[in-house]
Amino acid sequence: MTTIDSDATAHRPIGLTAPSGIDRAAHHRLDEAWLAAAWSHPTTRVFVVSGGQVLVDDAPDGRTELVMTPSFEAPLTETHRYFLGTDEEGVRYFALQKDSLPGRMDQSARPAGLREAGTLLSARDAGLMAHAVALENWQRLHRFCSRCGERTVIAAAGHIRRCQACGAEHYPRTDPAVIMLVTDEEDRALLGRQVHWPKGRFSTLAGFVEPGESIEQSVVREVFEEAGVTVGEVEYIASQPWPFPSSLMLGFMARATSSRITVDGEEIEEARWFSREDLRGAIESGEILPPAGISIAARLVELWYGKPLPKPAP
């Protein structure tokens, strides 16, 4: 479908998808005796999540680590304690949801969100943080039963909310969203700019899957709605958890069957076709800012470009 200059980018991991070494051990979530024993074990490690942020530490050797403590040093909480899993050495990990992050006596830690920390942390720490942030987002937004309106209570170590009035069980939301790099017959890439983005920022098109729609149909619909471009062939590439607040990004390459662009003007302010030479020149001159950070968008563009994108002008 798309001409790839090199396979150099094909094996680079997408942010938040590298193997974390954590077994979520979901079979223990309803075992209160096991959870209590796991919480009190001296090797158990705990961290606090609040408003999508955690504490991280920048080590002298350049590493950034998630600040974790033994459970007996963790802040008190009655219900918002989430079991995240175990590692290969049997260490259990928990996250605590609090209204604010705790202070640190040594002042060496700092708060960080997943967009920043996800590019700095190890695969283990990034995976634990993504899991915790997703649970926290869901817990904060789903305190009441959608069936009867009564308040729900936390169960299954943070992975279920139960309604004691009508008996309904509610599970964490994951909303599928498609994100796609569209190319035309000249192998140019279609990039767009959302109305609320900083000046010059361009990225791939994306959108949510609608009820009763396949993910391939969603790619075709979203590209036409946002840019007025029709799409034929659609090829799945990879997925990425995206807990902002509760999405799963499904990445695609798609081949356009038309090239005329008509943006919707509401979500997409501008869209353009870029050859590789066009994109390199626009980035190096500072005319555009390409997708960056942990988003799968950057990897989709790199797969088409054939190598890491050039650095923007300082």
Side-chain angles (χ1 to χ4, degrees), residues 102-113:
R104 292 273 291 180
M105 295 298 292
D106 55 14
Q107 300 296 311
S108 66
R110 61 183 178 86

Side-chain angles (χ1 to χ4, degrees), residues 138-152:
W138 173 68
Q139 293 283 355
R140 289 187 184 277
L141 296 175
H142 294 81
R143 293 176 296 169
F144 297 92
C145 180
S146 59
R147 179 184 292 176
C148 71
E150 291 296 319
R151 184 177 287 274
T152 56

Side-chain angles (χ1 to χ4, degrees), residues 190-205:
L190 179 64
L191 301 179
R193 205 184 86 76
Q194 293 191 18
V195 295
H196 63 273
W197 282 353
K199 182 180 179 180
R201 173 71 70 191
F202 277 78
S203 187
T204 55
L205 303 182

Side-chain angles (χ1 to χ4, degrees), residues 17 60 135 205 208 215-217 221 293:
T17 64
L135 285 178
L205 303 182
F208 287 103
I215 54 178
E216 293 83 2
Q217 290 170 333
R221 175 184 54 77

Side-chain angles (χ1 to χ4, degrees), residues 64 67 233 240 296:
T64 298
V67 173
E233 186 180 358
Q240 179 188 40
I296 190 176

Side-chain angles (χ1 to χ4, degrees), residues 35-49:
L35 290 170
W39 175 257
S40 62
H41 197 279
T43 64
T44 292
R45 290 297 177 263
V46 181
F47 64 94
V48 174
V49 58

Side-chain angles (χ1 to χ4, degrees), residues 61-78:
D61 61 5
R63 292 179 297 113
T64 298
E65 298 178 328
L66 193 59
V67 173
M68 291 188 273
T69 66
S71 55
F72 59 83
E73 294 181 1
L76 296 177
T77 180
E78 294 182 358

